[in-house]
Amino acid sequence: MEVVNQNVMRKDNTLLSITHLTQLLSYVIGFGSLIVPLIIWLSSRDKVEGMNEHGKAIINLQLSLILYIIISIPAILLLGLGILGLIATGILGFVLPIVNAVKASNGESPSYFLTIQFV
C-alpha cells in the first residue's frame, strides 16, 4: 500500500507575479483589483509556496488603498489636500504591484509600505 502526500506545495513564481499584476485590472477595466487577486489567493494558498504571504500583502494593499481613497475624498474640501492624496494613491496603486511582481518572479518577499495589516 502506497501513501501519497497530497500536501506538497509547488514553487510557482509565475503565478505569484501574475497575482501581483492582476491588481492593475482597475486601471484597465475599472474593477477587479481586489476580487481577482482574492480569488487566486484563496484558491491556491495551500498549493503554491509563498502564496499565503503574497496574497495577504496584496489584499492588505488593496484594502489600504480603498481606505486612503475614502479618506481623501472629503479631504478635497480641506485646501485641496485630498487631490494630492488621490494622486499619490493612484501612483502607489500602479507602481507597487509592478515592483512586487518583479520581486515575486525573483523569489523575494513582497514589500508594500504604507499598508495597514487587515489580514
Side-chain angles (χ1 to χ4, degrees):
M1 185 187 256
E2 182 177 332
V3 178
V4 178
N5 188 1
Q6 297 292 337
N7 295 331
V8 176
M9 297 182 77
R10 62 186 166 93
K11 187 155 181 73
D12 192 357
N13 290 341
T14 306
L15 182 62
L16 294 175
S17 297
I18 289 172
T19 307
H20 283 284
L21 292 176
T22 57
Q23 297 176 76
L24 300 175
L25 282 174
S26 62
Y27 293 98
V28 177
I29 60 174
F31 64 93
S33 63
L34 177 65
I35 301 299
V36 175
L38 181 66
I39 292 170
I40 295 172
W41 172 53
L42 290 176
S43 65
S44 62
R45 66 180 169 187
D46 297 331
K47 300 172 187 167
V48 177
E49 182 179 326
M51 179 59 81
N52 200 25
E53 177 187 8
H54 286 269
K56 285 181 182 180
I58 291 169
I59 300 305
N60 285 332
L61 174 72
Q62 289 301 314
L63 292 176
S64 297
L65 290 176
I66 291 170
L67 181 66
Y68 297 151
I69 289 170
I70 290 172
I71 291 171
S72 295
I73 290 173
I76 291 173
L77 300 174
L78 183 65
L79 301 173
L81 294 177
I83 293 175
L84 294 175
L86 289 174
I87 292 170
T89 303
I91 291 171
L92 286 176
F94 187 78
V95 172
L96 288 178
I98 296 171
V99 169
N100 283 303
V102 171
K103 284 182 150 189
S105 68
N106 293 332
E108 300 174 22
S109 297
S111 63
Y112 288 115
F113 61 92
L114 297 175
T115 58
I116 301 168
Q117 299 297 318
F118 293 105
V119 182

